[in-house]
Amino acid sequence: MARDSGIWQNSFIFISVDFNFSLRPKIKRQQLQQRQGTKTGKKKKMHSFGYRANALLTFAVTILALMCAIASLSDNLNTPSPSAQIEILNINWFQKQPHGNDEVSLTLNITADLQSLFTWNTKQLFIFVAAEYETPKNALNQVSLWDAIIPAKEFAKFSIHTSNKYRFIDQGHNLRSKEFNLTLHWHVMPKTGKMFANKIVMSGYRLPEDYR
Amino acid sequence: MIVSSALIIWKGLMCITGSESPVVVVLSESMEPGFQRGDILFLQMSKDPIRTGEIVVFNIQGRDIPIVHRVIEVHEQRQSGEVRILTKGDNNDVDDRMLYAQGQFWLKQEHIMGRAVGFLPYVGWATIIMTEKPIIKYILIGALGLLVITSKD
């Protein structure tokens, strides 16, 4: 009798086990395994918090980079039409320094309209005026005389009287009756992306023949 | 995978831009308000001679941090084609002669590591924080290492 019940119990166990793992329909098997937390070949595991955070972060950074690139590319759509004039109002003095180099001080009147250079992606405009000339020893000399930062479009149209901010010193004593160009350069510094630069060259300026 | 792809991108950038160090972080306030501390600059180096107005990155002998300043004077010699360069930070009052090595009055083309051509704000803060507080760098590397080891992918 005991044996019989043992058999019944065993077979009951066997049947129930078999029932659980092979005879039940698949959907219930998956539920059981999900409850038990085991992997099967076909069921997808839920992503962990770390995995999702990583995916989100990568996506966000990629989109941000893309937006920066598009912002920068939009600068190419802008067609600027700047204008400028520079007038030398006065040669303040023109001397030869003790160690042999020429130096000149000028007062300039700089008038410019650079409003068309500003786009929505422009942080500021850095402008400077440089004197360009050549000498027997040097094929090219560029000396920056004055610079300014234009933070916004409203300030981009201006007229200013100024003496040279930086000293105009030659490498040597070649400046007497020297012909030179004055160039107004501008550097567009963007909020993000590629920086642009260009210039207007104004020629026909000449230094005096003698020291003053 | 991440490390190797980052390395590939870095080396690729080095080839494309022709510069030894294609991305630098702005560390000082000498170019404000244009470049703030923590911005990154993309550099490019070509054989074209340096001209005034260009923003260049250069190293001074005896200092290990590169300096990012603007060129304000250029003298190109006729015979040798050599250029003599003077730089100045936009936010500084005086030019950089004080910063150059003893007895050096000009920079030459070979001192220049690259010209700045592009700019991204704020991205460099990660590098600044990691350099100034190295403990954060160790924590980050430790966490990344842990992630790599425990990841089942």
Side-chain angles (χ1 to χ4, degrees):
Chain A
M1 236 16 208
R3 219 166 151 193
D4 278 352
S5 64
I7 291 171
W8 279 117
Q9 277 163 12
N10 283 342
S11 29
F12 178 71
I13 291 168
F14 176 75
I15 290 168
S16 68
V17 163
D18 200 31
F19 193 55
N20 278 334
F21 286 91
S22 58
L23 295 182
R24 282 198 187 183
K26 279 201 176 132
I27 194 167
K28 290 199 177 166
R29 172 180 172 177
Q30 283 173 350
Q31 280 174 354
L32 181 70
Q33 283 177 333
Q34 191 174 2
R35 257 182 269 139
Q36 289 177 346
T38 58
K39 263 200 235 186
T40 64
K42 292 189 181 161
K43 167 94 178 77
K44 247 179 107 177
K45 157 169 92 95
M46 264 181 63
H47 293 307
S48 68
F49 174 76
Y51 182 90
R52 282 182 279 175
N54 180 35
L56 193 66
L57 199 66
T58 310
F59 186 62
V61 169
T62 312
I63 294 292
L64 193 65
L66 217 67
M67 277 167 50
C68 286
I70 293 176
S72 186
L73 286 173
S74 76
D75 275 343
N76 291 338
L77 299 172
N78 185 34
T79 48
S81 52
S83 64
Q85 272 140 355
I86 306 182
E87 211 186 303
I88 299 187
L89 294 175
N90 189 31
I91 308 275
N92 304 333
W93 45 265
F94 185 6
Q95 281 168 11
K96 187 170 172 180
Q97 285 182 340
H99 32 266
N101 293 331
D102 279 355
E103 184 175 348
V104 61
S105 166
L106 317 151
T107 304
L108 303 165
N109 178 22
I110 306 166
T111 310
D113 179 4
L114 302 170
Q115 286 186 323
S116 56
L117 293 167
F118 274 86
T119 68
W120 66 282
N121 190 29
T122 304
K123 189 200 284 196
Q124 68 181 32
L125 211 61
F126 182 90
I127 61 172
F128 65 97
V129 171
E132 280 180 15
Y133 61 96
E134 54 171 15
T135 62
K137 191 173 151 215
N138 292 340
L140 175 67
N141 296 283
Q142 289 178 321
V143 181
S144 175
L145 300 176
W146 172 87
D147 58 31
I149 290 177
I150 303 180
K153 198 170 180 171
E154 303 86 68
F155 306 103
K157 190 167 181 180
F158 64 92
S159 180
I160 181 172
H161 275 227
T162 175
S163 61
N164 50 318
K165 205 169 170 186
Y166 306 116
R167 302 169 73 180
F168 188 167
I169 303 178
D170 185 33
Q171 278 189 335
H173 40 271
N174 306 298
L175 290 184
R176 275 167 295 174
S177 47
K178 177 58 76 185
E179 268 184 32
F180 61 101
N181 293 340
L182 280 174
T183 48
L184 177 70
H185 295 240
W186 58 85
H187 275 64
V188 178
M189 294 164 85
K191 294 201 176 104
T192 153
K194 186 166 184 289
M195 298 191 281
F196 297 89
N198 213 335
K199 63 185 180 185
I200 295 182
V201 180
M202 289 155 278
S203 52
Y205 303 92
R206 201 192 190 102
L207 285 172
E209 283 162 15
D210 279 315
Y211 296 126
R212 302 187 188 170
Chain B
M1 251 306 278
I2 300 173
V3 173
S4 50
S5 51
L7 198 64
I8 290 173
I9 292 175
W10 183 255
K11 291 287 175 191
L13 265 174
M14 268 174 68
C15 280
I16 294 172
T17 63
S19 158
E20 278 174 11
S21 165
V23 180
V24 288
V25 178
V26 176
L27 296 168
S28 70
E29 299 111 15
S30 58
M31 284 294 280
E32 289 199 356
F35 299 147
Q36 321 266 354
R37 226 167 99 85
D39 297 337
I40 65 169
L41 296 175
F42 295 99
L43 304 184
Q44 213 176 33
M45 193 61 204
S46 66
K47 291 273 188 275
D48 296 338
I50 305 275
R51 294 291 178 236
T52 38
E54 293 176 351
I55 299 172
V56 293
V57 179
F58 56 93
N59 265 312
I60 302 287
Q61 273 176 331
R63 287 167 195 259
D64 29 285
I65 356 172
I67 306 179
V68 184
H69 280 173
R70 201 182 289 271
V71 174
I72 62 165
E73 252 186 67
V74 168
H75 297 275
E76 181 179 326
Q77 289 193 322
R78 215 179 267 280
Q79 282 184 336
S80 58
E82 212 178 78
V83 274
R84 300 251 169 90
I85 295 161
L86 181 62
T87 59
K88 175 184 165 295
D90 288 350
N91 208 23
N92 293 345
D93 291 328
V94 294
D95 57 40
D96 292 343
R97 284 230 163 88
M98 299 282 114
L99 294 174
Y100 298 163
Q102 188 78 312
Q104 181 187 10
F105 293 106
W106 304 97
L107 285 179
K108 301 217 176 108
Q109 186 105 2
E110 61 239 23
H111 294 129
I112 309 284
M113 274 164 42
R115 278 173 254 253
V117 291
F119 155 83
L120 268 182
Y122 310 121
V123 179
W125 269 114
T127 312
I128 292 186
I129 292 173
M130 288 207 283
T131 314
E132 295 192 351
K133 295 191 168 34
I135 188 133
I136 296 190
K137 181 165 61 176
Y138 299 137
I139 292 176
L140 208 67
I141 292 183
L144 268 171
L146 212 67
L147 251 160
V148 167
I149 294 172
T150 59
S151 149
K152 292 199 170 82
D153 302 317

